[in-house]
Amino acid sequence: MGQKVNPISMRVQATKNWTSKWFASSKKEYANWLATDIKIRKAIEKRFETRAVIDKIEIERSANQVVVNVWTSKAGVVIGRGGSGVQELKAELEKIAGQPIRLNIEEVKRPDLAAKIVSENIARQLERRINFRRAAKQTLQNVMSAGAKGVRIQISGRLNGAEKTRVEKFSEGSVPLHTIRANIDYNLAVAKTPAGTIGVKVWINKGERR
């Protein structure tokens, strides 16, 4: 089961929480808000797609305002010089949402324990034609040094421009797939290389929550 179910959705309300927090009063409202949330997330991701700096995006809604919390490893990159980056991003999101937005930028204390940042960092390295083994092994060391209980990396595709696709797995420490109380962070990133797309999956075990 652990191989087939997303480790985050499997642990919602156990060790994870919803990234969108709101309640719709009708099916039409639900559909509109869901579509808007997806557009907001895509707009933020696209703005920083060349840099692996965004960890997670939380969206909360009230009657007349949308609150967007962006967790990043480099707050300075998101905020921009003199706060210009935040103002531009806020204006873009307000166009999408069609209502006022409060944008909060939160800094990730330990980016090496954020699966999204780690997987996208590996993907960006693969796009720069860095050897996948070197990238994966260096990442294993960094994640374990940051205090993780275990890490698992899976890279699949035409690795190093090979003719055939294959799957390579790297792991260190313990990453239990079925233990619900285990705080597992997971993400899938995609590297777009001249040979084709390469998928990078990362699981990080941050310990157990009692």
Side-chain angles (χ1 to χ4, degrees), residues 58-110:
E58 293 180 346
I59 300 172
E60 298 176 27
R61 290 178 182 273
S62 60
N64 53 7
Q65 190 182 51
V66 180
V67 179
V68 180
N69 300 314
V70 179
W71 296 81
T72 174
S73 60
K74 294 179 181 175
V77 172
V78 179
I79 294 168
R81 186 167 294 180
S84 59
V86 168
Q87 295 305 320
E88 287 174 18
L89 182 58
K90 187 181 175 185
E92 185 183 347
L93 298 183
E94 283 179 344
K95 272 187 186 176
I96 294 169
Q99 62 185 122
I101 279 186
R102 196 171 90 225
L103 185 60
N104 299 323
I105 308 300
E106 305 283 349
E107 190 155 17
V108 178
K109 295 279 192 291
R110 289 187 288 178

Side-chain angles (χ1 to χ4, degrees), residues 2-76:
Q3 300 281 353
K4 303 173 188 69
V5 179
N6 186 302
I8 294 175
S9 62
M10 184 183 178
R11 291 172 172 82
V12 167
Q13 298 301 316
T15 61
K16 303 291 178 185
N17 210 337
W18 301 103
T19 52
S20 286
K21 298 173 186 174
W22 43 261
F23 183 82
S25 55
S26 66
K27 285 185 179 179
K28 186 178 180 182
E29 190 176 62
Y30 176 86
N32 289 338
W33 286 2
L34 178 60
T36 303
D37 279 12
I38 292 169
K39 286 177 185 174
I40 287 172
R41 291 178 195 282
K42 282 184 177 177
I44 297 171
E45 293 286 353
K46 189 177 181 181
R47 197 176 181 87
F48 304 103
E49 66 183 347
T50 56
R51 304 185 183 192
V53 296
I54 304 295
D55 178 21
K56 61 181 177 180
I57 301 161
E58 293 180 346
I59 300 172
E60 298 176 27
R61 290 178 182 273
S62 60
N64 53 7
Q65 190 182 51
V66 180
V67 179
V68 180
N69 300 314
V70 179
W71 296 81
T72 174
S73 60
K74 294 179 181 175

Side-chain angles (χ1 to χ4, degrees), residues 162-181:
E163 284 296 315
K164 287 188 177 181
T165 63
R166 67 182 194 272
V167 179
E168 292 283 348
K169 298 177 182 178
F170 307 85
S171 64
E172 197 166 329
S174 167
V175 184
L177 297 177
H178 295 97
T179 309
I180 299 294
R181 66 178 178 272

Side-chain angles (χ1 to χ4, degrees), residues 7 11 15-16 110 112-115 143-144 146-152 172-177 179-186 202-209:
R11 291 172 172 82
T15 61
K16 303 291 178 185
R110 289 187 288 178
D112 284 328
L113 292 181
V143 174
M144 293 303 288
K149 300 292 181 186
V151 56
R152 182 177 157 199
E172 197 166 329
S174 167
V175 184
L177 297 177
T179 309
I180 299 294
R181 66 178 178 272
N183 185 9
I184 306 290
D185 198 8
Y186 163 81
V202 173
W203 293 258
I204 297 175
N205 178 17
K206 300 180 186 179
E208 289 189 6
R209 289 188 181 175

